[in-house]
Amino acid sequence: MADSSRGKVSAHLSRSLWFSRIPAAFLLVLLVCLMVFQGGFFQESTACALVIYCVSCAIYLSVRFVLAWKNKGVDKRQAPALLLAGCDIKGVFGKFAIPIGAFAIALLFMVSTFVHGLPIYDLIQSLTWALAGIAGISCIFLDSKNKAWMVDGIVWIGVISSVVGFAAFSEAVFIPGGFHAGRLQFFFQYANAAEAWFAVSVLLCMTNRKASLRRLAFFPITALLFTQSMGSICMLVVVVAVFFSIELLNARRMKDQAGSASVYRDVSMFVFQVILATLSFLFLKYDLLFGAMMYLSAAICCVSLYMRISTLINKTRKQKTIFIVAFVFCLIAAVLFVVFDYSRVIQSLSTFAERVVQAKDALFLFGQNLFLGIGPDQWQHRYFEIRSEEYISTQVHNAYLQLGLDAGVFALLIFMAMFVFSIIKSLLDGNTYVWVPTLFLFLHSFVDFDMSFSFFVILSCLLMSLCLTSCNARIRPEGGVSGHS
């Protein structure tokens, strides 16, 4: 009887496509709201987001319950269980690792706050991780189609924010705090946070199952260059190289010549977008009008000619030759980028050296307060005591050390375990490419304080949850990343 009731209500709700997508839409709106409010860096915005999100979810579940209750031919005693009608719950109870980890970290933040006798206000820090846990649970209960729809939505958020970033960088639209010292930092008011988001957007575009979205990678690539973050650009190159290497090795291991050819084609098309993005950045930096024209021309070229060029490469038997030529042009573009932005390269090397010193000092302080850390946000008050060189920084430029100082070694280990487990599980299942942007966030957290932004905490938990629960979702294209839809 329960199965019959669930089937009837599921069929009734599935007829309203918009209704079934509301939970995924809530998650997308949550990300957009946090992004607009400087990435949720200030905890007041996170507290407001938590309240609004929880109330919205409660209203949605109430409406779903009422619809289930009023459905004719359904046993009313089954109505509570029918709240999950249409959800992807097969094996779901073994996939709560990410939300459980997030709630555990939230609890450790509370314990650290009370043990160190900090004001109640500092408890707001734990709300970020509680919200991430709730968002992770919502993501787990989405069905396969809505998970894929949510990933597409995140891609579109990345593309739209990249276009807005171009408007801010080119001064076509005045946005307070849009860029600083020639570097794009909108929406986060911090260039290194902006580049982390644009890099994730690049990877989500590049690995998307739809060719119509893969062609849009040009926009976040260009926005990433606008941030002029050398470290993240290099890290993105490493992650892309790892991804395509794994794809090529898998194709060769399966003796799939078509698969190998598609990898060469996809690399060539990605390099094609990188070259156009680099030229757009260089022209825009030295001449706004000419640069804007170049940007628009390159965007039109990527969007309109992507499929045609991709098809031509696919038909030729010289994919390797095209790949080599594209790689050479990419190296030339990289050299031009370094030459024309040489001062920024020197500055990046100097900043990296300072962060190494800062990490060493943070590690020393962390070693003295191993189990519960020094309390949320207390680094900014304590680092003067132990700094070995002159620097000013309210956050440790290492998300893991910052987390350890805030809530202790167990919080640090739990968070790293969440990343490692989700990436390895996704690679072993081989059903999704969401591990690619997840890997980037895992690596980037070693060199910056991404997780001090609520936006990145929630985005990371969503991506990790997708790595563990999207085995039935067609988030990975059939036949590899080159599959068209």
Side-chain angles (χ1 to χ4, degrees), residues 369-381:
N369 304 269
L370 193 62
F371 291 103
L372 291 175
I374 60 176
D377 277 342
Q378 294 307 296
W379 163 261
Q380 60 182 324
H381 305 299

Side-chain angles (χ1 to χ4, degrees), residues 82-296:
L82 295 175
L83 285 173
L84 300 178
C87 296
D88 186 11
I89 61 173
K90 184 178 180 181
V92 74
F93 296 105
K95 299 173 182 176
F96 272 100
I98 304 307
I100 290 174
F103 287 130
I105 294 174
L107 180 61
L108 288 169
F109 264 92
M110 292 182 184
V111 172
S112 179
T113 301
F114 283 121
V115 169
H116 291 95
L118 299 177
I120 298 297
Y121 172 82
D122 289 323
L123 281 175
I124 298 179
Q125 283 274 31
S126 63
L127 295 182
T128 295
W129 295 95
L131 180 56
I134 296 171
I137 292 175
S138 300
C139 178
I140 288 172
F141 280 105
L142 293 176
D143 61 25
S144 300
K145 292 182 179 179
N146 285 324
K147 284 174 184 165
W149 184 80
M150 184 181 73
V151 172
D152 293 348
I154 297 175
V155 169
W156 277 109
I157 293 173
V159 171
I160 293 172
S161 60
S162 300
V163 175
V164 175
F166 159 73
F169 189 81
S170 63
E171 300 180 6
V173 177
F174 175 71
I175 301 176
F179 66 97
H180 175 70
R183 302 178 64 194
L184 177 66
Q185 59 179 18
F186 187 73
F187 291 80
F188 300 90
Q189 313 306 319
Y190 178 56
N192 290 347
E195 49 81 7
W197 163 238
F198 292 131
V200 169
S201 300
V202 171
L203 295 171
L204 285 172
C205 283
M206 185 189 73
T207 58
N208 197 275
R209 73 196 189 286
K210 296 180 179 179
S212 59
L213 294 182
R214 291 202 298 278
R215 73 179 73 180
L216 300 178
F218 164 81
F219 296 100
I221 291 173
T222 311
L224 175 61
L225 296 178
F226 290 160
T227 66
Q228 301 180 57
S229 179
M230 303 302 171
S232 293
I233 292 172
C234 294
M235 196 173 294
L236 176 67
V237 171
V238 170
V239 173
V240 170
V242 168
F243 167 67
F244 280 121
S245 297
I246 291 176
E247 287 297 292
L248 189 59
L249 288 173
N250 287 337
R252 289 184 174 179
R253 180 171 54 85
M254 300 295 293
K255 296 182 179 179
D256 182 5
Q257 294 183 352
S260 298
S262 69
V263 173
Y264 286 121
R265 180 190 67 191
D266 291 325
V267 174
S268 301
M269 294 307 301
F270 180 71
V271 170
F272 170 69
Q273 292 175 310
V274 169
I275 293 171
L276 290 180
T278 304
L279 293 176
S280 299
F281 165 75
L282 293 176
F283 283 123
L284 189 62
K285 186 175 181 181
Y286 292 99
D287 190 299
L288 288 178
L289 179 60
F290 191 59
M293 293 174 60
M294 179 64 192
Y295 178 88
L296 294 175

Side-chain angles (χ1 to χ4, degrees), residues 354-412:
E354 180 181 303
R355 292 183 182 185
V356 171
V357 174
Q358 186 184 119
K360 183 184 70 173
D361 294 342
L363 190 60
F364 174 77
L365 185 59
F366 176 54
Q368 294 180 328
N369 304 269
L370 193 62
F371 291 103
L372 291 175
I374 60 176
D377 277 342
Q378 294 307 296
W379 163 261
Q380 60 182 324
H381 305 299
R382 298 279 303 275
Y383 79 95
F384 292 101
E385 305 170 5
I386 49 89
R387 62 179 179 180
S388 55
E389 294 185 15
E390 291 293 325
Y391 59 80
I392 298 175
S393 180
T394 59
Q395 298 283 330
V396 182
H397 284 73
N398 182 309
Y400 304 108
L401 284 176
Q402 181 68 54
L403 185 59
L405 288 170
D406 286 345
V409 66
F410 296 111
L412 185 155

Side-chain angles (χ1 to χ4, degrees), residues 446-465:
F446 280 100
V447 296
D448 226 314
F449 52 91
D450 299 340
M451 301 308 152
S452 294
F453 293 85
S454 300
F455 174 86
F456 285 107
V457 174
I458 293 169
L459 178 63
S460 298
C461 287
L462 288 178
L463 293 177
M464 287 187 280
S465 297

Side-chain angles (χ1 to χ4, degrees), residues 415-431:
F415 189 53
M416 293 191 74
M418 289 162 61
F419 264 124
V420 173
F421 175 64
S422 59
I423 293 170
I424 293 178
K425 181 69 164 56
S426 180
L427 279 169
L428 292 177
D429 288 343
N431 302 328

